[in-house]
Amino acid sequence: ATRRTKFYVTVTPNRNDKQCFIEWGDGSRTVCDRWGVYEHEYENRTADYTCNIVNAYEFSIGSGNSEDYSKSMVESIPTLGDGLGKISDGLYSGMNVEGLRIPDSVESIGTSAFSGCTELENLNFPESLSSLGEYAFDGCTNLRFTNINGLSSSPITSIPEACFRSCVRMNAITLPQSNTTIGASAFYGTNLQM
């Protein structure tokens, strides 16, 4: 029997002159000319389940077969393309992410966007970042910083509730120079000396 897995990517294109598209793991491409859900089907694991979303403001990913989807997403991580403005709520939650380049265009990281990414060690924050979601990095047990590039000069004014909770290897952080409020349990379970 042929096993097929459908993937659904909800995309909000950037409003600029560049084309927004999805590059699928089998080499095909889908143009995203408006907000919508774009579908792609893989057969028998003939290609990687990866996708690269280019020039999108925001996107989220789903699947028609949750068993195949969860297994595949441990193996392959969606790439963040230039032009992305927001990392959606829960986008990388629980994935096997080790390091990730966040594009300079990102202004917002959603709630639980990276929660439970236990392999995540290093992360760059662009200077454009103005908003972090609650629980954004909760449970990233290998995440450690000596300095967070960009965060010290970003317009962030709040580190929300449980944002870096249980990041047990975190022992240093450089906060923005602006007046920064720190939410409940934002750094609970870290090695920060506060």
Side-chain angles (χ1 to χ4, degrees), residues 58-167:
E58 181 179 8
F59 68 91
S60 61
I61 299 174
S63 171
N65 181 327
S66 59
E67 179 186 329
D68 281 351
Y69 176 67
S70 59
K71 182 172 58 176
S72 69
M73 293 315 288
V74 168
E75 299 168 10
S76 19
I77 307 301
T79 332
L80 298 175
D82 290 332
L84 185 70
K86 178 181 180 183
I87 297 175
S88 300
D89 295 350
L91 182 62
Y92 288 93
S93 183
M95 289 189 190
N96 194 15
V97 180
E98 292 180 18
L100 193 63
R101 185 188 82 72
I102 297 177
D104 291 338
S105 55
V106 169
E107 299 170 350
S108 173
I109 295 177
T111 299
S112 301
F114 295 93
S115 64
C117 292
T118 57
E119 300 301 314
L120 184 62
E121 293 182 14
N122 299 303
L123 198 63
N124 71 301
F125 286 105
E127 290 182 16
S128 59
L129 188 65
S130 61
S131 172
L132 288 170
E134 294 178 346
Y135 308 95
F137 300 95
D138 181 25
C140 294
T141 54
N142 276 312
L143 190 60
R144 56 182 158 188
F145 300 118
T146 53
N147 189 7
I148 299 179
N149 296 334
L151 190 56
S152 61
S153 59
S154 78
I156 287 180
T157 58
S158 172
I159 306 294
E161 179 180 343
C163 188
F164 295 101
R165 182 178 66 180
S166 299
C167 295

Side-chain angles (χ1 to χ4, degrees), residues 22-66:
I22 304 167
E23 292 176 335
W24 302 99
D26 60 7
S28 61
R29 179 184 279 197
T30 302
V31 174
C32 308
D33 55 357
R34 66 178 70 81
W35 177 89
V37 178
Y38 296 87
E39 176 183 314
H40 190 74
E41 186 172 70
Y42 290 101
E43 267 186 51
N44 280 343
R45 187 78 173 133
T46 57
D48 287 336
Y49 288 127
T50 59
C51 62
N52 182 21
I53 294 94
V54 177
N55 202 35
Y57 176 76
E58 181 179 8
F59 68 91
S60 61
I61 299 174
S63 171
N65 181 327
S66 59

Side-chain angles (χ1 to χ4, degrees), residues 171-184:
N171 58 17
I173 189 167
T174 303
L175 294 174
Q177 295 174 351
S178 57
N179 291 330
T180 304
T181 58
I182 298 177

